[in-house]
Amino acid sequence: MAEKRDIQIGMFGFGVVGQGLYDVLNSSKGIQANVVRICVKDRSKPRRLSMDHFTFDKNDILNNDSINLVVELIDNADEAFDIVKEAMQRGKHVVSANKKMVAEHFDELVALQHTHQVSFLYEGAACGSIPIIRTLEEYYDNELLNSIQGIFNGTTNYILSKIFSSGQDYHTALKQAQELGFAESNPYWDVHAFDAKFKLCIIAMHSFGLRVNEADIFNYGIPTILPHDVRLAKEKGYKPKLLATGLKIRDKLCLFVMPMLVRHDNLLFNVEDEHNAVLVEGVFSDKQFFQGRGAGSYPTGSAVLSDISATTYHYKYEYKKEGQNSQLQFTNDVLIEIYLRYGSEEVLKQFKFVDIIERHQERHTGFNYVVGVINLKDLMAIPRLRELDAFFALTPECKVNLAN
Amino acid sequence: MAEKRDIQIGMFGFGVVGQGLYDVLNSSKGIQANVVRICVKDRSKPRRLSMDHFTFDKNDILNNDSINLVVELIDNADEAFDIVKEAMQRGKHVVSANKKMVAEHFDELVALQHTHQVSFLYEGAACGSIPIIRTLEEYYDNELLNSIQGIFNGTTNYILSKIFSSGQDYHTALKQAQELGFAESNPYWDVHAFDAKFKLCIIAMHSFGLRVNEADIFNYGIPTILPHDVRLAKEKGYKPKLLATGLKIRDKLCLFVMPMLVRHDNLLFNVEDEHNAVLVEGVFSDKQFFQGRGAGSYPTGSAVLSDISATTYHYKYEYKKEGQNSQLQFTNDVLIEIYLRYGSEEVLKQFKFVDIIERHQERHTGFNYVVGVINLKDLMAIPRLRELDAFFALTPECKVNLAN
């Protein structure tokens, strides 16, 4: 083992996660890490610590040679990238929890790590306190994985849980989630499943070794779900869950995020409220299930702490799966089975079903749905899909098949 | 990163796990490991591979300097220890799945690792395919853990699942488990919870940094469970599960394995059949839940493979928790709340309850039980406890409290 590294931290951001990390760091006995300086933006905000802990100038951290680790915990992905890039260029190790930044700048970030021989760790960017990236990197490094599926977003899972258990409609549940701090004031990235997609993009790299552009991955969220949809799911014994899926079918890899009607025999059925969960299926290890808090101050702080600690023993991700699956190709050309509730025939017509298995129409309530097979590519090609008077979800029976 | 090590394996044992590992190794693309020789005992047994793969003399492996890794997968813990010890003394790295050996010889094994500067890894010894030891070592290395609880034995969980779902009695379910290969022909170590205790002993070391002699840890299994017990549990909405528990209460650590009546809101409630699961509770990360196959050829093979792979990058357990909890002391002097079904007043008298909360007697059926609070030490002191006409389990409400 190489010698332990002494850690001097420069932190960017002191919001929910930053403050959680600060507490976690101060209570942890095993790690000797010193927070030298915290860079924040808002000069008017009252702070828990005395002002000499803070700076408003990023260069106070980046130019400080005694700081060897930058912990990046700000919201803005572009600003975050600039900071992280500069930090690595100056030979500083970086720990980040910014999924959008990691997903969007993956290749550059990996290249920077190699060029500057620094650690760049981001466990906090995916599924809060669940140690999924580390587990995929270290434990499943030689295991052939077939699929990975999970609940990657705590906000939408909280909303869906409330809709299901208390019969609230989407907007009421969202409002409550915001009041309780489980949803942001601008929930767009969460509810339309972009957040889950960024995480899927990162996790797919560590699971299958394939770098997929996040813009090529389909994401569809939950804002159009109606009480009708929930009632039907309940009658059939299903729960609507927003799932991120990565699936290897022969030499193709399929990735998408969309709601699914989940049956009780699926381990994800019982994952409630703001919890996250991941189901990993390997050829040999079979199904492994991981569940934990998906978000929040301390759970994410704890993931970040674990990364900080790993930098003390010079830990780096090795992206070992890359190259192991060199023949693997990403595709959206797959057939999936979905439940589609639609407002009018005009809406229905836009969905080019290959096969319709079930039709239901109620003139008085306006509750119309079909269950059918559709090509994911055709689904993605529908203009203004998120604005349609419709809601769809994978059926519990859905097998994903290559279209060709 | 240090240079990758080239792996030449000498294997001991070619049973269920050994054969599974052999297949997993041959299908894994990322790892270049060569099985040089396999040492087996039974000369008359037909083998899947040609005889030049095998030897009956352990020295053919131990004296072979080209072999740098010994993979030990035999049943007998004493023979295993001799092999593992000798291998380490000769500078060979060792991967083992032998929980009894690891639990019983922990200190010597750790000392051997240090003295001879070799890796000694044993993920396959605890909870099959769940990467629990690695996660505790690497991910929770600085996290303050409050508790760890889980289903550590697939055989008993399979039996309890069948008893619960199909109304079979214990002996029928055990027989079926044996026929299906989920229970060994001599099930003693499994059903009386020794197996789970060995695993708890190992996991406790990696969770809390405290080395506890396995003989000091209480274990009570399931052979005396009766349909009465199961019916009552069902009526109340509980399931009987055999749980291993590690719990930190202030500066004391409490460890035991015994049945518990589990309520549906406990994540362990839904863990069925031969699955294993672990619930880790940290101060900051909150509850983390891990579930996977607890046993079997490929799941355990996959855990062993992951260890083999880790030796290629010189990975060693660091036992980082040791020392972090230097004030922590093991105790059995705790009060627990149990459900006790008993055959006669004579039996009941042996249990020194501190407080009895519920009493139930049925003269015609002979179904008598009490719910009460008892000191674990007093429970352990009952002579021939496992032979009594009685069955007990922790109640779902059980809070473990220090007696003093």
Side-chain angles (χ1 to χ4, degrees), chain A residues 8 27 47 63 73 87 94 110 141 155 174 179 240 320 330:
Chain A
Q8 301 296 328
S27 311
R47 305 282 176 186
N63 292 339
L73 302 169
V94 174
V110 173
D141 55 346
T155 303
L174 170 60
E179 283 162 9
K320 294 174 206 162
F330 174 69

Side-chain angles (χ1 to χ4, degrees), chain A residues 71-355:
Chain A
V71 176
E72 180 282 304
L73 302 169
I74 66 175
D75 281 338
N76 186 306
D78 295 327
E79 287 178 28
F81 179 65
D82 289 341
I83 290 165
V84 165
K85 185 178 168 180
E86 210 170 323
M88 287 204 263
Q89 284 168 342
R90 294 176 188 221
K92 297 186 199 303
H93 306 283
V94 174
V95 170
S96 169
N98 199 315
K99 58 221 93 171
K100 188 164 186 278
M101 179 197 69
V102 176
E104 287 180 347
H105 298 279
F106 205 91
D107 293 332
E108 286 161 280
L109 290 166
V110 173
L112 281 163
Q113 282 174 73
H114 289 313
T115 310
H116 301 284
Q117 289 290 307
V118 290
S119 295
F120 174 58
L121 306 177
Y122 42 83
E123 186 68 71
C127 301
S129 59
I130 304 175
I132 186 66
I133 297 177
R134 198 80 69 84
T135 303
L136 289 167
E137 268 289 295
E138 296 309 304
Y139 192 75
Y140 293 113
D141 55 346
N142 289 295
E143 166 88 83
L144 307 167
L145 296 183
N146 286 333
S147 72
I148 186 150
Q149 187 168 55
I151 293 169
F152 287 6
N153 180 269
T155 303
T156 44
N157 202 53
Y158 179 85
I159 294 171
L160 289 173
S161 290
K162 289 305 153 198
I163 289 177
F164 190 85
S165 64
S166 68
Q168 289 175 346
D169 67 15
Y170 167 76
H171 297 282
T172 313
L174 170 60
K175 200 159 162 268
Q176 201 191 78
Q178 286 171 324
E179 283 162 9
L180 291 168
F182 292 133
E184 294 181 41
S185 53
N186 178 0
Y188 182 85
W189 293 99
D190 287 319
V191 298
H192 286 294
F194 287 93
D195 174 86
K197 181 168 78 165
F198 295 139
K199 293 169 182 167
L200 177 62
C201 190
I202 298 169
I203 286 175
M205 179 67 207
H206 292 276
S207 303
F208 306 105
L210 196 65
R211 165 81 184 115
V212 180
N213 194 331
E214 50 88 14
D216 296 334
I217 302 173
F218 180 61
N219 58 301
Y220 180 78
I222 61 164
T224 59
I225 193 168
L226 289 185
H228 278 315
D229 303 310
V230 179
R231 204 167 49 237
L232 185 81
K234 258 190 189 164
E235 283 170 15
K236 301 206 177 250
Y238 308 151
K239 271 185 204 169
K241 292 284 179 195
L242 181 60
L243 301 191
T245 302
L247 188 63
K248 197 155 78 91
I249 315 174
R250 298 202 296 273
D251 57 350
K252 295 283 190 292
L253 179 69
C254 177
L255 304 171
F256 50 78
V257 186
M258 69 176 106
M260 182 173 189
L261 302 177
V262 173
R263 210 165 23 204
H264 70 92
D265 55 2
N266 186 324
L267 285 166
L268 298 165
F269 185 87
N270 294 306
V271 179
E272 298 293 1
D273 300 330
E274 76 278 20
H275 279 92
N276 277 201
V278 189
L279 197 53
V280 178
E281 194 168 345
V283 177
F284 294 109
S285 58
D286 205 89
K287 280 186 187 161
Q288 296 292 319
F289 182 68
F290 304 85
Q291 180 174 342
R293 290 215 184 269
S297 176
Y298 289 163
T300 308
S302 146
V304 173
L305 173 73
S306 180
D307 279 350
I308 293 174
S309 165
T311 68
T312 63
Y313 55 91
H314 308 259
Y315 178 71
K316 288 187 181 75
Y317 297 143
E318 293 191 62
Y319 305 97
K320 294 174 206 162
K321 295 264 172 188
E322 215 174 2
Q324 284 183 37
N325 276 318
S326 51
Q327 82 301 357
L328 200 65
Q329 282 185 322
F330 174 69
T331 187
N332 283 315
D333 194 13
V334 291
L335 297 173
I336 54 176
E337 189 181 293
I338 61 169
Y339 155 86
L340 166 71
R341 194 252 317 137
Y342 58 95
S344 69
E345 288 297 316
E346 287 311 299
V347 169
L348 177 59
K349 265 187 208 152
Q350 303 212 42
F351 290 78
K352 294 187 188 155
F353 280 99
V354 176
D355 187 18

Side-chain angles (χ1 to χ4, degrees), chain B residues 54-119:
Chain B
F54 296 98
T55 172
F56 303 102
D57 180 359
K58 66 176 182 177
N59 292 316
D60 282 351
I61 288 176
L62 295 172
N63 292 339
N64 184 336
D65 288 339
S66 76
I67 290 174
N68 52 10
L69 175 67
V70 162
V71 177
E72 179 282 303
L73 302 169
I74 65 175
D75 281 337
N76 187 307
D78 295 327
E79 286 177 27
F81 179 65
D82 290 340
I83 290 165
V84 164
K85 186 178 168 180
E86 210 169 324
M88 287 204 263
Q89 285 168 341
R90 292 175 189 223
K92 298 186 199 303
H93 305 283
V94 174
V95 170
S96 169
N98 199 315
K99 59 222 92 172
K100 188 164 186 279
M101 179 196 69
V102 177
E104 287 179 349
H105 297 280
F106 204 92
D107 293 331
E108 286 161 280
L109 290 165
V110 172
L112 281 162
Q113 282 174 74
H114 289 313
T115 309
H116 302 284
Q117 288 291 306
V118 290
S119 296

Side-chain angles (χ1 to χ4, degrees), chain B residues 24-306:
Chain B
V24 175
L25 261 178
N26 281 328
S27 311
S28 176
K29 294 177 193 171
I31 188 167
Q32 297 295 337
N34 176 36
V35 178
V36 178
R37 213 71 182 280
I38 306 167
C39 180
V40 290
K41 215 170 178 179
D42 189 342
R43 285 172 193 261
S44 61
K45 215 168 170 180
R47 304 283 175 185
R48 285 170 37 189
L49 306 175
S50 69
M51 275 321 291
D52 54 355
H53 289 81
F54 296 98
T55 172
F56 303 102
D57 180 359
K58 66 176 182 177
N59 292 316
D60 282 351
I61 288 176
L62 295 172
N63 292 339
N64 184 336
D65 288 339
S66 76
I67 290 174
N68 52 10
L69 175 67
V70 162
V71 177
E72 179 282 303
L73 302 169
I74 65 175
D75 281 337
N76 187 307
D78 295 327
E79 286 177 27
F81 179 65
D82 290 340
I83 290 165
V84 164
K85 186 178 168 180
E86 210 169 324
M88 287 204 263
Q89 285 168 341
R90 292 175 189 223
K92 298 186 199 303
H93 305 283
V94 174
V95 170
S96 169
N98 199 315
K99 59 222 92 172
K100 188 164 186 279
M101 179 196 69
V102 177
E104 287 179 349
H105 297 280
F106 204 92
D107 293 331
E108 286 161 280
L109 290 165
V110 172
L112 281 162
Q113 282 174 74
H114 289 313
T115 309
H116 302 284
Q117 288 291 306
V118 290
S119 296
F120 174 59
L121 306 177
Y122 42 83
E123 186 67 72
C127 302
S129 58
I130 304 175
I132 187 65
I133 297 177
R134 198 80 69 83
T135 303
L136 290 167
E137 267 289 296
E138 296 309 304
Y139 192 75
Y140 293 112
D141 55 346
N142 289 294
E143 167 89 86
L144 308 166
L145 296 182
N146 285 333
S147 73
I148 187 150
Q149 188 168 54
I151 293 169
F152 288 5
N153 180 269
T155 303
T156 45
N157 202 53
Y158 179 87
I159 293 171
L160 288 173
S161 290
K162 289 304 152 200
I163 289 177
F164 190 84
S165 64
S166 68
Q168 290 174 346
D169 68 15
Y170 168 76
H171 296 283
T172 312
L174 170 60
K175 199 157 164 269
Q176 202 191 77
Q178 285 170 325
E179 283 162 10
L180 290 168
F182 292 132
E184 294 180 41
S185 53
N186 177 1
Y188 182 85
W189 294 98
D190 287 318
V191 299
H192 286 294
F194 287 95
D195 174 86
K197 181 168 78 166
F198 295 139
K199 293 169 183 168
L200 177 63
C201 190
I202 297 169
I203 285 175
M205 180 67 207
H206 292 276
S207 304
F208 306 104
L210 195 66
R211 165 81 184 116
V212 180
N213 194 332
E214 50 87 15
D216 296 335
I217 301 173
F218 180 60
N219 59 302
Y220 180 76
I222 60 164
T224 59
I225 193 168
L226 288 185
H228 277 315
D229 303 309
V230 179
R231 205 167 49 236
L232 185 81
K234 258 191 190 165
E235 283 170 16
K236 301 205 177 250
Y238 308 151
K239 272 184 202 167
K241 293 283 178 195
L242 182 60
L243 301 190
T245 302
L247 188 63
K248 196 155 80 91
I249 315 174
R250 297 201 297 275
D251 57 348
K252 293 285 191 291
L253 180 68
C254 177
L255 304 171
F256 49 80
V257 186
M258 69 176 106
M260 182 173 188
L261 302 176
V262 173
R263 211 166 22 206
H264 69 92
D265 55 3
N266 187 323
L267 286 164
L268 298 165
F269 185 86
N270 294 305
V271 179
E272 298 292 2
D273 301 329
E274 76 279 21
H275 278 93
N276 277 200
V278 189
L279 198 52
V280 178
E281 194 168 346
V283 177
F284 295 109
S285 57
D286 205 88
K287 282 186 185 160
Q288 298 291 319
F289 182 68
F290 305 84
Q291 180 174 341
R293 290 214 185 271
S297 176
Y298 288 163
T300 308
S302 146
V304 173
L305 173 73
S306 180

Side-chain angles (χ1 to χ4, degrees), chain B residues 327-357:
Chain B
Q327 83 300 356
L328 200 64
Q329 281 185 323
F330 174 69
T331 186
N332 282 315
D333 194 13
V334 291
L335 297 173
I336 54 176
E337 189 181 291
I338 61 170
Y339 154 86
L340 166 72
R341 193 253 316 138
Y342 58 96
S344 69
E345 288 297 316
E346 287 311 300
V347 170
L348 177 60
K349 265 186 207 151
Q350 302 212 42
F351 290 78
K352 294 189 187 153
F353 281 100
V354 175
D355 187 17
I356 288 189
I357 300 156

